[in-house]
Amino acid sequence: MVENKGVFRNKKTMITGGVGFIGSGLARRLVDLGAKVSLVDSLIPEYGGNLVNIRGIEDKVKLNISDVRDSHSLKYLIQGQDFLFNLAGQTSHLDSMVDPFNDLAINCSAQLSILEACRNYNPGIKIVFASTRQIYGKPEYLPVDERHLLRPIDVNGINKMAGEWYHILYNNVYGIRSCSLRLTNTYGPRMRIKDARQTFLGVWVRLMLEGKPFEVWGGGQLRDYTYVDDVVEALLLAATSSAADGKIFNLGGERIYSLLDTAKTLVKVNGDGKFIVKEFPEDRKKIDIGDYYSDFTLIKKTLGWQPHIKLEEGLSRTIQYYGEVLDEYL
Ligand SMILES: NC(=O)c1ccc[n+]([C@@H]2O[C@H](COP(=O)([O-])OP(=O)(O)OC[C@H]3O[C@@H](n4cnc5c(N)ncnc54)[C@H](O)[C@@H]3O)[C@@H](O)[C@H]2O)c1
């Protein structure tokens, strides 16, 4: 837990992607901690941004419907901010292959624009960037630690890797305090469930709640999962610790699950549901990373972070949430 909760009181914090799944969870926590929160989000329908995500805090945050590719507005939005949680991103691996230039613009070029805006208009800001385990590609060894070679296998991975390294570069060369968290599969209330663009767990939850069978591809693959509140905690810890500056940390899960075990856990938690095990579709197989789970020792040692919410508990909270608001996420 962030021990010095007062750190954020009255602090100006900006969240790009703040109406998305993780960004809105972070916004809720920051509002509770007394921060002055502004959200920057383009609300492009294919991504996870949804105004329902900020229901209840809409009067306590400043919402800027703006695109991080617009360097002109960024220049103004960034000024005076104490913290930037940089979470805006195109998250679909498949979409990055279908439209690589769009992924390049959001996950790479816009990241450079954000950092340039900071360099020119707010060099004292502290930045936490949401990176991804996807940049490791197919693991050479497990669990994957931060020393593992970066060998992304899709366009999204390449652009997120560049986005991450721009942050580290600006820390090292210009002294703009930045760090990066490599997130693994994150799940919880407010994730995108319309389709599998953000996470396969989203579409599994949707189909199950609609009483339809969901598909498990392969089944034997190993994965780790982090509940959204644990990710939020890591973002806050990274923001408040100078030991994080210029560093890159893996996040991870409390346990390793096969996809089949994950599916069984979901059905068990719901008390009902069916799934079909299928071969991996060809277009997905080519950009699939196989088994993956993280070694998160570095963040545990440096910032004292570890995941607390177990998959059963996290899925149970997730199902409860969507049980009440399913229609608003379809
Ligand atoms: N959810 C995961 O499992 C996971 C795993 C690894 C990394 N991440 C990273 O975490 C970050 C947040 O992901 P999320 O799961 O909350 O996804 P999300 O899609 O819910 O959130 C991203 C938000 O960014 C916004 N956005 C996208 N392009 C934008 C643009 N050009 N300008 C302004 N806003 C824009 C979207 O509208 C959305 O609200 C992303 O950068 C993602 O790459 C997430």
Side-chain angles (χ1 to χ4, degrees):
M1 292 286 279
V2 175
E3 278 163 24
N4 187 0
K5 292 198 172 115
V7 167
F8 291 104
R9 183 155 301 282
N10 289 323
K11 285 289 180 337
K12 292 182 102 179
T13 59
M14 184 167 125
I15 309 172
T16 66
V19 190
F21 162 41
I22 301 170
S24 62
L26 174 64
R28 287 171 182 281
R29 186 77 203 289
L30 283 167
V31 165
D32 282 348
L33 294 172
K36 293 181 177 161
V37 181
S38 60
L39 312 177
V40 177
D41 204 298
S42 54
L43 288 176
I44 298 168
E46 286 77 21
Y47 307 149
N50 186 338
L51 289 174
V52 180
N53 287 345
I54 56 165
R55 186 177 284 161
I57 58 162
E58 56 272 76
D59 298 335
K60 298 177 181 149
V61 297
K62 194 170 165 194
L63 173 59
N64 301 287
I65 311 282
S66 178
D67 198 296
V68 292
R69 286 169 289 186
D70 176 3
S71 55
H72 299 290
S73 49
L74 273 176
K75 165 179 161 182
Y76 291 98
L77 292 169
I78 212 88
Q79 291 179 28
Q81 299 292 338
D82 297 300
F83 295 98
L84 167 62
F85 294 94
N86 192 9
L87 273 58
Q90 191 297 108
T91 60
S92 163
H93 303 295
L94 204 54
D95 287 0
S96 81
M97 303 304 290
V98 175
D99 190 353
F101 288 103
N102 185 52
D103 195 90
L104 177 75
I106 299 174
N107 288 333
C108 185
S109 306
Q111 304 307 316
L112 196 52
S113 302
I114 291 170
L115 289 160
E116 273 294 276
C118 293
R119 183 166 78 91
N120 289 310
Y121 303 100
N122 189 357
I125 199 168
K126 165 85 191 236
I127 311 173
V128 184
F129 175 69
S131 181
T132 170
R133 57 110 163 95
Q134 191 71 10
I135 71 179
Y136 291 116
K138 272 190 210 313
E140 270 183 11
Y141 59 85
L142 292 163
V144 175
D145 60 18
E146 294 84 352
R147 280 170 300 193
H148 190 287
L149 194 65
L150 300 183
R151 219 171 26 192
I153 53 161
D154 58 23
V155 168
N156 179 265
I158 292 175
N159 292 328
K160 287 293 283 189
M161 177 174 76
E164 173 184 277
W165 280 91
Y166 286 138
H167 284 76
I168 302 304
L169 177 88
Y170 273 60
N171 178 89
N172 297 346
V173 177
Y174 300 119
I176 296 165
R177 295 165 299 149
S178 304
C179 61
S180 174
L181 302 184
R182 291 181 182 156
L183 277 49
T184 183
N185 298 276
T186 306
Y187 73 102
R190 304 182 186 87
M191 66 186 175
R192 183 179 172 98
I193 58 162
K194 212 179 254 190
D195 49 40
R197 277 200 165 87
Q198 192 179 76
T199 162
F200 63 88
L201 277 176
V203 81
W204 284 11
V205 166
R206 173 194 174 159
L207 291 169
M208 195 181 63
L209 291 179
E210 289 178 334
K212 297 175 191 160
F214 60 90
E215 289 183 5
V216 178
W217 297 337
Q221 268 181 338
L222 301 177
R223 285 284 179 270
D224 55 356
Y225 304 98
T226 325
Y227 186 67
V228 61
D229 290 7
D230 282 327
V231 172
V232 166
E233 197 59 30
L235 291 163
L236 296 176
L237 282 168
T240 50
S241 168
S242 56
D245 297 348
K247 300 272 179 0
I248 293 168
F249 300 106
N250 281 348
L251 300 193
E254 35 84 38
R255 235 197 73 183
I256 303 149
Y257 293 85
S258 69
L259 288 185
L260 206 55
D261 280 344
T262 312
K264 285 181 185 160
T265 307
L266 183 61
V267 170
K268 182 177 151 207
V269 166
N270 190 47
D272 186 24
K274 285 199 171 56
F275 59 87
I276 307 159
V277 180
K278 274 194 165 175
E279 281 290 300
F280 240 85
E282 275 310 309
D283 56 345
R284 301 272 179 170
K285 208 189 271 175
K286 286 188 192 129
I287 58 166
D288 180 58
I289 59 167
D291 292 343
Y292 178 92
Y293 48 95
S294 295
D295 179 335
F296 56 86
T297 312
L298 186 63
I299 191 167
K300 192 173 175 184
K301 276 193 187 149
T302 316
L303 303 181
W305 179 89
Q306 64 181 69
H308 289 290
I309 308 294
K310 296 198 165 27
L311 187 64
E312 280 200 22
E313 172 63 22
L315 288 177
S316 155
R317 292 186 197 178
T318 307
I319 289 167
Q320 193 185 346
Y321 178 75
Y322 288 107
E324 290 157 15
V325 291
L326 185 66
D327 290 348
E328 296 183 276
Y329 283 84
L330 302 182

